[in-house]
Amino acid sequence: MTVAEGTALGRLAGLVECGGVVVLSGAGLSTESGIPDYRGPTGRSRNAQPMTYQRFVGSEQARRRYWARSHVGWRQIGAALPNAGHRAVAALERRGLLTGIVTQNVDGLHQAAGARQVIELHGGLDRVVCLSCRERTPRAELDLRLRAANPGWAADAGQINPDGDAVLTDEQVEGFRLVGCRSCDGVLKPDVVFFGENVPRPRVERCFELVGSARALLVLGSSLAIRSGLRFVDRAAALGLPIVIVNQGATGGDHHATLTVDAPLGATLTALTATTTPLRAQ
């Protein structure tokens, strides 16, 4: 660790160990679990054509393409394990230093690491929702149904996107069979917020309430390139809260930051937990 990194870590620890911290996490926190992020250190988008809500609901072929690709990608997302960064965040929560975690990720790794106070801003890939009756079912159940509906179908992907969308050719997608809701045969959608779809307002308000009652905001692994996450940084700045951003590469919120740390998340957060003490017994 360089002198500059050591100084930044000391300042970070000084802010966190007083407690009252809200975490805002992004895809960069999960890269060490084998899940790629959206932009990387350069800030350039890795996925030029993400599925939009409008395309998904408007075209059966678009849904076939999505579910075929997601069926393959789910193998990697579903098998991913929490990394040192997720475990460190859960440890900080157990020490009473965090009042909540707002994650833009849909992989469920915060919870798998033991964190409890998690708001999934964009939903979770481990659930499926029917667009007709709104019934929610486990993704593992859908995975079994899709396997049964597509015996002998197999496709290897050369790339997996952060939302679990595998890159497949049109030939690989052709012939993939969809299944409907078990209860009403309606259209099934992952319980996540697609591009072009709004985050449910009550969920957004809960996040704003968390930020409004926080003593500091800690951003982890987010480029803050879209409004969905940046609005909470803007709110924290308007309230005069200290804002710390730990990310590899520049972010859209750096101009608001009290401190920025450009370093790998796992090692940095592990070092942070080694220098902080519990605020109260859990």
Side-chain angles (χ1 to χ4, degrees):
M1 179 181 294
T2 67
V3 173
E5 290 171 335
T7 301
L9 180 62
R11 292 180 62 195
L12 173 57
L15 286 167
V16 170
E17 64 189 0
C18 293
V21 177
V22 168
V23 164
L24 172 63
S25 68
L29 186 62
S30 293
T31 56
E32 293 175 36
S33 294
I35 300 174
D37 59 11
Y38 286 95
R39 298 178 186 275
T42 66
R44 184 177 180 181
S45 176
R46 300 185 194 276
N47 185 8
Q49 293 184 319
M51 176 59 68
T52 67
Y53 180 77
Q54 292 74 18
R55 293 212 330 268
F56 186 87
V57 299
S59 165
E60 182 176 347
Q61 182 56 32
R63 291 193 292 275
R64 178 176 291 105
R65 175 179 175 272
Y66 174 83
W67 279 120
R69 291 163 60 120
S70 188
H71 186 55
V72 175
W74 173 246
R75 300 171 194 165
Q76 180 169 332
I77 302 295
L81 298 174
N83 62 52
H86 297 110
R87 293 192 294 271
V89 171
L92 294 173
E93 183 190 66
R94 287 194 298 272
R95 294 176 186 182
L97 301 174
L98 308 183
T99 56
I101 301 162
V102 177
T103 184
Q104 300 171 86
N105 298 339
V106 295
D107 52 40
L109 292 179
H110 276 300
Q111 297 92 317
R116 295 175 294 176
Q117 303 175 82
V118 182
I119 298 177
E120 293 179 310
L121 185 63
H122 298 148
L125 279 175
D126 62 337
R127 304 180 300 275
V128 179
V129 61
C130 172
L131 295 182
S132 296
C133 70
R134 308 307 298 180
E135 180 181 42
R136 284 173 169 79
T137 52
R139 177 62 178 268
E141 176 185 300
L142 176 63
D143 185 64
L144 290 175
R145 294 182 62 205
L146 287 174
R147 289 174 187 269
N150 293 277
W153 186 88
D156 293 322
Q159 176 184 330
I160 303 292
N161 291 318
D163 54 3
D165 186 20
V167 176
L168 301 179
T169 66
D170 291 341
E171 289 74 20
Q172 289 173 307
V173 170
E174 186 178 358
F176 187 81
R177 293 186 60 193
L178 300 176
V179 298
C181 172
R182 275 194 185 278
S183 298
C184 71
D185 200 36
V187 171
L188 295 177
K189 172 184 171 293
D191 195 13
V192 299
V193 178
F194 280 165
F195 286 88
E197 186 179 8
N198 293 324
V199 178
R201 192 66 200 172
R203 194 181 303 168
V204 174
E205 291 300 332
R206 286 173 58 205
C207 296
F208 275 130
E209 288 170 6
L210 265 182
V211 173
S213 62
R215 193 194 59 80
L217 179 66
L218 175 58
V219 180
L220 302 176
S222 176
S223 64
L224 300 173
I226 60 174
R227 186 67 187 161
S228 184
L230 182 60
R231 58 185 155 182
F232 303 117
V233 177
D234 289 343
R235 176 64 62 87
L239 294 171
L241 301 180
I243 300 168
V244 179
I245 300 176
V246 185
N247 187 65
Q248 291 194 277
T251 82
D254 286 353
H255 60 291
H256 285 317
T258 307
L259 172 67
T260 61
V261 182
D262 190 335
L265 275 294
T268 301
L269 294 175
T270 298
L272 175 63
T273 61
T275 58
T276 57
T277 56
L279 187 65
R280 64 177 183 272
Q282 292 288 290

